[in-house]
């Protein structure tokens, strides 16, 4: 990383006031002076670690987790404090104000939106903001440079606390909390955004604000579902739970023809609607069998409770399927080992090695609890997977995550309590296809393969079927009309009006940002 020399400004408190002034006297302002020149000189003056296109680490620091995308930022800054973030935001507003600004927490956006999803963005990388504090009242303050694995370890190390969040240890809490944040404990404890009590955020004019139910409550509402369009959250205060002592990690796997696979998904749907208790985190996973006409699918998840209670809970689902699973594994774990097991890389500590990467295209489909898939849509899905799913030159999976159902906090939280607009989702399909070696290029026909997989369902449902999409699985191929409706539904116009107050000029913008 190339670091600019420390500037004239030694006191951080002086920086915000002094910057504009300094820049104006140091560089004659003419019509020809471009925003990016002003940006770089302003960042240089600020003393914040900055990587520019001329820096030796620029290529590495500009890589997206999803290597299907390559974008060239205007600059990447690495602030060490909320004040630094505010200064960097102000630098981007100099000149004609045409430099878009994006926060990057874990960099795991499916559309590389942490890089702005386009060239020329000022990327504010939060990786130096790593504090986590557990308070006496069992809330925790978490700075947004933290990854989920490190959050879990820190909470547990401070009084055996826990919260619900996604399974991948390297996902950043910053992006995750802003779009949803689903994990296997979310039916019991909520999405990450449901667990947030307040946020510290830098808005587009460089002001640092607190947001909660009682302070800047409109901003607080918008942050919980659409944060990237409203500001840069530097810290969240969240509720935590006592880590459950017994966690049952389970899998029941079937290799069957499309007709039996259809029965299994039908069983999953009705068990999800009527029977699954909130302490059950349940997924139906489908992976390639490599044999035509054979579908490999599993019920997987974590149950927070005893082995005996798990057995009683899951038995109705397993016995509603006419065939027995080919393999099953039901293993009891303590809290952290259960997360390590589901995280899939043997550790939650992200300081031990660099993040991996992938080259992929994914779509989501949120199935409403009152309009689940019809038999013909289910059958079309498995017929497609039993044919095209075998010949494709992608490595794919389909995962149905149970969000709603009986007693789920996600569906029981009132629709208008946050900007998150998918509370009526029973379960969320994710359709995901990678290049075979996970490296670029993504196969030419991979996009069509996945789109056709998705439409095997949508084209076989009633034409007036109303479904959603999960904003955390950002799909850059959706049209404006599609993402606005599928992510945000009737919350979109409310978001627009709050946006006009906090980000009126669209400084925080990317291809799927809220806009006027
Ligand atoms: C391997 C993998 C596994 C995943 N597993 C799950 C899962 O189990 N459950 C689930 O719900 N989701 C999951 N996701 C999706 C994940 O929640 C989203 O991609 C999330 O947006 C990633 O956050 P990030 O901080 O890592 O990404 P980034 O790319 O850094 O950020 C994503 C978006 O949020 C914005 N942003 C980042 N930080 C902030 C901030 N502090 N303030 C405001 N805006 C910010 C960025 O500008 C960008 O628009 C997974 C993704 C991957 C790649
Ligand atoms: C980057 O390098 C180019 C070519 O060497 C030079 O013209 C330009 O001024 C440099 N930019 C910065 C910001 O240092
Ligand atoms: C992180 O926490 C430590 C110890 O509480 C504190 O000294 C430091 O100022 C905090 N850093 C930031 C960036 O808030
Ligand atoms: C429930 O427990 C019994 C006794 O151990 C076992 O035979 C059975 O397979 C379990 N059922 C499920 C669905 O795991
Ligand atoms: C079941 O899972 C546990 C933990 O993940 C693993 O150690 C064990 O080998 C698995 N057992 C079988 C039979 O696959
Ligand atoms: C939903 O909440 C937002 C933010 O508090 C508010 O502006 C809006 O009026 C509410 N809408 C309804 C229908 O209550
Ligand atoms: C869709 O159309 C069918 C048949 O015309 C009707 O019964 C159903 O109520 C409609 N559903 C919605 C969500 O409008
Ligand atoms: C920044 O924007 C907020 C929200 O619109 C406003 O309340 C505040 O006065 C603005 N501050 C400055 C310095 O412009």
């Amino acid at each position: 990383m190339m670091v600019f020399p420390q500037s004239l400004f030694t006191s951080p408190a002086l920086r915000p006031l002094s910057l504009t002034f300094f820049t104006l006297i140091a560089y004659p302002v003419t019509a020809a002076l471009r925003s990016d020149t002003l940006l770089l000189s302003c960042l240089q003056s600020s003393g914040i670690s900055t990587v520019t296109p001329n820096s030796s680490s620029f290529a590495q620091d500009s890589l997206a987790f999803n290597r299907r995308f390559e974008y060239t930022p205007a600059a990447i800054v690495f602030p060490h404090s909320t004040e630094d973030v505010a200064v960097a935001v102000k630098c981007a507003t100099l000149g004609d104000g045409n430099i878009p600004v994006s926060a990057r927490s874990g960099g795991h956006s499916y559309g590389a939106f942490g890089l702005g999803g386009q060239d020329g963005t000022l990327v504010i990388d939060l990786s130096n903001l790593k504090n986590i504090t557990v308070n006496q009242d069992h809330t925790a303050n978490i700075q947004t440079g933290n990854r989920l694995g490190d959050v879990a370890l820190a909470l547990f190390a401070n009084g055996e606390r826990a919260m619900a969040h996604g399974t991948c240890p390297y996902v950043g809490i910053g992006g995750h909390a802003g779009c949803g944040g689903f994990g296997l404990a979310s039916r019991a404890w909520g999405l990450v955004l449901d667990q947030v009590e307040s946020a510290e955020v830098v808005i587009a004019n460089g002001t640092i604000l607190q947001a909660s139910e009682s302070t800047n409550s409109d901003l607080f509402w918008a942050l919980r579902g659409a944060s990237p369009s409203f500001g840069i959250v530097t810290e969240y205060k969240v509720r935590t739970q006592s880590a459950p002592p017994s966690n049952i990690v389970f899998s029941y796997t079937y290799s069957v023809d499309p007709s039996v696979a259809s029965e299994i998904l039908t069983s999953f749907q009705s068990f999800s609607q009527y029977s699954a208790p909130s302490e059950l985190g349940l997924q139906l996973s489908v992976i390639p069998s490599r044999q035509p006409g054979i579908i490999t699918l599993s019920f997987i998840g974590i149950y927070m409770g005893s082995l005996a209670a798990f057995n009683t809970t899951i038995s109705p689902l397993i016995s509603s399927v006419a065939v027995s699973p080919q393999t099953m594994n039901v293993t009891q774990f303590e809290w952290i080992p259960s997360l390590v097991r589901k995280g899939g890389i043997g550790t939650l500590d992200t300081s031990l090695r660099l993040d991996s990467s992938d080259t992929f295209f994914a779509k989501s489909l949120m199935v409403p609890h009152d309009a689940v898939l019809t038999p013909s849509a289910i059958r079309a899905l498995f017929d497609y997977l039993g044919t095209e799913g075998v010949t494709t030159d992608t490595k794919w999976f389909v995962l149905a995550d149970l969000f709603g159902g009986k007693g789920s906090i996600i569906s029981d939280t009132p629709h208008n309590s946050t900007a998150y607009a998918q509370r009526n989702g029973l379960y969320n399909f994710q359709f995901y296809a990678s290049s075979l070696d996970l490296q670029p290029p993504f196969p030419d026909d991979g996009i069509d393969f996945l789109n056709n997989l998705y439409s095997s369902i949508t084209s076989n449902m009633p034409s007036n079927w109303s479904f959603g999409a999960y904003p955390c699985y950002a799909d850059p191929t959706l049209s404006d009309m599609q993402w606005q409706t599928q992510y945000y539904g009737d919350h979109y116009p409310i978001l627009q009006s709050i946006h006009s107050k906090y980000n009126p000029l669209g400084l925080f913008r990317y291809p799927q940002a809220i806009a006027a």
Side-chain angles (χ1 to χ4, degrees), residues 203 205 207 501-502:
I203 58 170
N205 65 12
T207 306
K501 177 169 166 192
Y502 292 100

Side-chain angles (χ1 to χ4, degrees), residues 268-284:
F268 170 79
Q269 284 193 156
S270 51
F271 180 77
S272 296
Q273 275 175 306
Y274 306 116
S275 307
S278 65
E279 62 273 17
L280 179 67
L282 179 65
Q283 307 172 300
L284 179 63

